[in-house]
Amino acid sequence: MPTTRSASRAMVVAASISAEASTPKRKASWTSSPTREKKTRVMKKPLELTSIAQAQIDQFQRNLPEPGPAPVLVPAQLTFRFEEAKKHLIDVDPRFQILFDRLSCKPFEHLETVHPFRALVTSIIGQQISWIAARSVNHKFVRLFNPSLPEKVTDYPERADATSYFPTPQQVAHTDLVILRTAGLSGRKAEYVRDLATRFADDRLSTEKLLQANDDELAEMLIEVKGIGRCLAVDMFSIFTLRRPNILPVGDLGVQRGMLRWFLGLHSPTHTFTFSPDKAGRDIQDEDELSDEEVGSLPMLTDTSANSKKTLDVSQTSLFDLSSILPVPSATPRKEDNTGSQASVALLPPPVTPSVEQTLMKVENSPDYVPPPLPTGLSTSTLQSRLDGKKKIKGAILTPNEMEELTANWKPYRSLGVFYMWAFAK
């Protein structure tokens, strides 16, 4: 009896199934299943001290590079009248009076001399790691060039001003990357620090040039440095180191969140900030120091958005430029910070207390105060949905254009208003 086409096909399928059953199965290396585990990118850890002969470090410290000329510091003075700036902000929004009375505007009231090279180096060292780890790495970095300092950072004075020891650009520029990495820096951070040092050493960057440059020129000079981004690093440096009065860091999530709450409270009488009591004063000086292994295991860049621990590629560019953080704290900072901000927690204002909130609400609900209208396209319901995370725009709580419009009447003193927005960011 001749074999039909369907019977022939059935025989082939049966043979295939039999062969598959008799062949040992191998685990698929890649599957289209939605439940597959994603490959985790492993970031290179900083070199541990044991990976390089101590003798090589000793030899380096016996023959330290020449320090070069003494650094020129940013003077402890403002380029504008602080009282005039306060009056301007209070005139456009009476609630600022409460903030000025209750919370010190640190960058513009606590004036100190600052060396830009030191500020930028500690900024790079502290990229997206905890302040404890940043303080530890920064101390090890400084101690490479001054081994007479105590081995433990906890034995060193907590507060160190611009006149305390810090290596010069000339010294760092002539230091091998392998030596720099023994301080706990990753390979990339070591490259960034030395690139910055080289630019200061050959006079492409200097304190005088940074002070004389306008905002655009300053940004152009700094973004040429590896590891320094325009969106946040330049803005933060401008506010906290150069004390420029009219800076708006549109990419900072903390500023966005604080600003949204600030204007939502102004236009929605029923809105409350619902902050927990301020824990800024907690003493954490007895915190155990991180070991070299713990410091080395920290990723170089992480997304600091709330509830996010995602490791990022340093070359990633977006609205949120996560390339820098402000200098290592010079005073005891808050233990935790989940604002999404890039500024060092030690430099930020403490969260507003319930008493400040109540006073703000009295002004907001005063019949004598008529707030300016919200920009076109924004309403209290829109602001609330943004705050709840329902209608973010490409990850932004407020877009740059919206932030510009909301703060238009803060000019030319937006930096002062921005500083207080961090108090509302939590």
Side-chain angles (χ1 to χ4, degrees), residues 88-158:
H88 173 81
L89 291 176
I90 293 168
D91 286 344
V92 299
D93 192 333
R95 296 179 298 167
F96 276 116
Q97 178 73 68
I98 301 165
L99 299 183
F100 284 121
D101 290 344
R102 303 286 187 91
L103 303 172
S104 172
C105 194
K106 293 180 182 179
F108 306 102
E109 288 191 88
H110 299 175
L111 303 181
E112 299 176 333
T113 55
V114 184
H115 187 220
F117 174 68
R118 177 175 185 162
L120 290 167
V121 168
T122 52
S123 169
I124 292 172
I125 288 176
Q127 286 177 358
Q128 306 306 310
I129 59 177
S130 74
W131 77 269
I132 300 175
R135 184 181 65 164
S136 175
V137 175
N138 188 69
H139 181 69
K140 290 183 175 72
F141 169 76
V142 174
R143 199 168 174 273
L144 276 177
F145 300 87
N146 186 1
S148 64
L149 294 176
E151 183 175 355
K152 290 187 176 182
V153 66
T154 50
D155 296 333
Y156 192 64
E158 183 70 23

Side-chain angles (χ1 to χ4, degrees), residues 207-254:
T207 302
E208 295 88 347
K209 288 181 178 179
L210 294 174
L211 289 174
Q212 293 169 7
N214 61 35
D215 292 341
D216 291 336
E217 293 168 343
L218 177 70
E220 186 177 347
M221 283 192 289
L222 290 180
I223 61 176
E224 290 182 357
V225 182
K226 295 178 180 179
I228 294 182
R230 171 67 178 94
C231 197
L232 292 176
V234 176
D235 291 339
M236 298 302 171
F237 178 76
S238 298
I239 293 175
F240 289 94
T241 300
L242 301 184
R243 308 181 191 100
R244 298 201 169 183
N246 195 38
I247 304 299
L248 180 64
V250 296
D252 189 284
L253 287 172

Side-chain angles (χ1 to χ4, degrees), residues 69 71-72 115-121 168-170 173 193-210 222 225 228 237:
V72 178
H115 187 220
F117 174 68
R118 177 175 185 162
L120 290 167
V121 168
T168 65
Q170 288 76 11
V193 167
R194 197 169 69 173
D195 180 55
L196 176 69
T198 302
R199 292 173 185 273
F200 270 93
D202 63 19
D203 205 39
R204 280 178 289 173
L205 289 177
S206 68
T207 302
E208 295 88 347
K209 288 181 178 179
L210 294 174
L222 290 180
V225 182
I228 294 182
F237 178 76

Side-chain angles (χ1 to χ4, degrees), residues 167-347:
T168 65
Q170 288 76 11
Q171 287 178 307
V172 178
H174 292 89
T175 301
D176 192 278
L177 293 176
V178 175
I179 295 292
L180 292 177
R181 293 189 63 189
T182 63
L185 277 72
S186 67
R188 282 180 173 175
K189 284 188 183 180
E191 292 175 4
Y192 298 163
V193 167
R194 197 169 69 173
D195 180 55
L196 176 69
T198 302
R199 292 173 185 273
F200 270 93
D202 63 19
D203 205 39
R204 280 178 289 173
L205 289 177
S206 68
T207 302
E208 295 88 347
K209 288 181 178 179
L210 294 174
L211 289 174
Q212 293 169 7
N214 61 35
D215 292 341
D216 291 336
E217 293 168 343
L218 177 70
E220 186 177 347
M221 283 192 289
L222 290 180
I223 61 176
E224 290 182 357
V225 182
K226 295 178 180 179
I228 294 182
R230 171 67 178 94
C231 197
L232 292 176
V234 176
D235 291 339
M236 298 302 171
F237 178 76
S238 298
I239 293 175
F240 289 94
T241 300
L242 301 184
R243 308 181 191 100
R244 298 201 169 183
N246 195 38
I247 304 299
L248 180 64
V250 296
D252 189 284
L253 287 172
V255 174
Q256 292 178 24
R257 188 176 292 112
M259 190 177 295
L260 187 147
R261 285 185 167 133
W262 177 256
F263 287 99
L264 182 59
L266 183 61
H267 292 272
S268 178
T270 59
H271 174 74
T272 59
F273 297 106
T274 61
F275 291 112
S276 59
D278 176 25
K279 299 180 180 179
R282 182 183 299 176
D283 186 359
I284 52 178
Q285 291 182 358
D286 294 332
E287 188 83 39
D288 290 337
E289 189 62 36
L290 293 183
S291 66
D292 290 340
E293 182 177 355
E294 290 171 317
V295 172
S297 66
L298 292 164
M300 183 174 67
L301 285 177
T302 56
D303 187 346
T304 54
S305 305
N307 303 321
S308 176
K309 298 295 182 184
K310 180 182 178 183
T311 300
L312 300 177
D313 187 339
V314 70
S315 63
Q316 176 177 336
T317 56
S318 65
L319 173 64
F320 308 110
D321 185 341
L322 301 175
S323 65
S324 190
I325 193 170
L326 259 286
V328 172
S330 59
T332 303
R334 290 180 230 152
K335 192 168 190 117
E336 296 178 357
D337 182 70
N338 61 357
T339 63
S341 296
Q342 296 301 292
S344 167
V345 293
L347 301 175

Side-chain angles (χ1 to χ4, degrees), residues 384-398:
Q384 186 63 57
S385 65
R386 298 273 187 89
L387 185 61
D388 296 339
K390 297 176 181 178
K391 292 187 178 181
K392 290 184 179 181
I393 302 176
K394 296 183 180 180
I397 299 173
L398 290 170

